[in-house]
Amino acid sequence: MTLLNDIVSADGRKGGSGETLAIRGGRPLRGRVEVKGAKNLVTKAMVAAILGESPSILRDVPDISDVAVVRSLLEVHGVHVTDADEPGAFVLDPAEVESAHFEEIDAHAGASRIPILFCGPLLHRLGQAFIPDLGGCRIGDRPIDFHLDALRKFGAVVEKLPSGIRLSAPNGLHGANIHLPYPSVGATEQVLLTAVRAAGVTELRNAAIEPEIMDLIAVLQKMGAIISYEPNRVILIEGVDRLRGYDHRAIFDRNEAASWACAALATDGEIFVGGAKQQEMLTFLNVVRKVGGDFEIHEDGILFRRGGELKPVIVETDVHPGFMTDWQQPLIVALTQATGESIVHETVYENRFGFTQALVQMGADIVVHPHGLQEGPRRVPRRNLEQAAVINGPTPLHGADITVPDLRGGYSHVIAALTAEGESIVRNVGIISRGYEKLFDKLAALGADFDVLG
Ligand code: EPU
């Protein structure tokens, strides 16, 4: 069994540990990187394996610490995880699923948000579940009220304890009519993973429809589930009694692909992102074009570079098919090099501009308006989240001593340091291994000049 503090993730480093890089920037990143399966699908598909009566095979699994955390959590629940017939593929055998000991589960508290998705599958298999306090990036309150409300509608009894949440289903789970207050990715996955084996039909309205969710639906259909996607964010799930294992190659990681694209724009380099596909990135590619970037679509990936001087842009983050919240951080680094005033509105999370402080320290002209701008164009007034970042460029960036705050913000700090003239010290980079596989190897392959200080 893998113990959480033994988890060694991307680049052979301990998961989640702080690490420091000395980065000498000011040179373009050039070369090819490969992106594997999406963190935000793979971790959910691993949980789905609990629902099967036979082993599942998941392919293109990235070597990242979020995967290691979910693997460890599956193992403490009796799922046997072994290597499959090709590199980056796992066999997940749920034959001996069992309740884990409190101490084993509690060791995962604060490590990831994925444990909340164990609820439905464990309730179906064992009639009970315990979920520790959740972690993930500190980018807002990130509550779980939609999840718990949905689980109650399926018939689960939810008991909140100081150490976590205990759930039981004394009368089994039944289909439900659920209308999400917001198209939450996690809550949509919660409903899917619970409804597939609940008795009767579940109608989910205002569902998230991200490509990773469509891929999870594909996984569940391979397992025997009956799920139809109706117009206007409605998903219908007809519960079935039994599910089997799946064999699935995960959808590519759009967030990593967009990150490398922005690195090419920011450093005036040229990066071929192997494994990236156009369809799932249409919205992002439109913004790349508007900002003066250039891209070439190939069968095996997408090539990104500048198409001339970078231009300012106004974007608003949104649920799919909008511009993803996970894309704004690396984009903002590129926008520091665009001529004119750019505006980025963040509408998904309430606190996702903290990373810009380090960019300002490096010479960027970025002003965050926590309560929004008094005027200026907006696409759709969505939610109460009005915060906006105004970026004026181009500003030469210079080296600084900065500390990574979270996953996407951290990647942006690294790219900013590579864009900046002079040496930067970037601390706490271990957190980036939650979502970026072999980051150091990839940076080295692209010609980045850096040392790992330990
Ligand atoms: N929300 C609630 N109540 C809930 C659930 C969500 O108010 O019960 C709110 C959140 O606070 C947030 C908004 O709804 O303001 C959207 O949250 P959502 O549930 O959609 O996000 P998530 O499932 O927690 C996933 C990804 C995030 C990504 C978002 C949006 C995973 C593990 N995480 O989070 O990815 O930003 O969807 O696409 O899939 C990342 O990869 O760095 C990352 C943070």
Side-chain angles (χ1 to χ4, degrees), residues 39-40 44 142-146 184-186 326 348-349 408:
K39 163 176 92 68
N40 292 349
K44 329 298 172 63
R142 302 195 75 180
I144 53 168
D145 49 337
F146 304 163
S184 149
V185 168
D326 304 290
V348 179
Y349 290 112
R408 306 292 167 198

Side-chain angles (χ1 to χ4, degrees), residues 177-183 203-208 232-235:
N177 283 327
I178 296 166
H179 186 137
L180 293 179
Y182 179 75
E203 181 180 283
L204 173 63
R205 279 170 287 138
N206 208 22
N232 300 322
R233 296 190 178 278
V234 175
I235 299 178

Side-chain angles (χ1 to χ4, degrees), residues 240-301:
V240 295
D241 288 341
R242 312 176 73 166
L243 293 170
R244 54 183 171 271
Y246 62 80
D247 186 338
H248 190 75
R249 190 170 297 283
I251 187 175
F252 77 101
D253 198 309
R254 299 180 297 149
N255 292 340
E256 184 175 356
S259 300
W260 291 116
C262 292
L265 298 185
T267 65
D268 199 5
E270 184 168 295
I271 300 181
F272 186 92
V273 184
K277 294 195 173 68
Q278 180 181 15
Q279 281 297 330
E280 290 79 7
M281 300 196 72
L282 290 174
T283 307
F284 177 78
L285 294 173
N286 285 336
V287 172
V288 168
R289 183 156 281 159
K290 284 198 221 173
V291 86
D294 190 18
F295 56 85
E296 276 172 25
I297 309 291
H298 294 252
E299 255 186 38
D300 57 340

Side-chain angles (χ1 to χ4, degrees), residues 49 51-57 92 94 219 222-224 243-247:
L51 290 162
E53 290 182 3
S54 50
S56 292
I57 302 178
L92 303 124
V219 166
K222 284 178 178 174
M223 298 178 80
L243 293 170
R244 54 183 171 271
Y246 62 80
D247 186 338

Side-chain angles (χ1 to χ4, degrees), residues 254-255 258 280 283-284 322-331:
R254 299 180 297 149
N255 292 340
E280 290 79 7
T283 307
F284 177 78
F323 189 88
M324 282 198 78
T325 168
D326 304 290
W327 296 339
Q328 54 96 343
Q329 305 80 353
L331 178 72

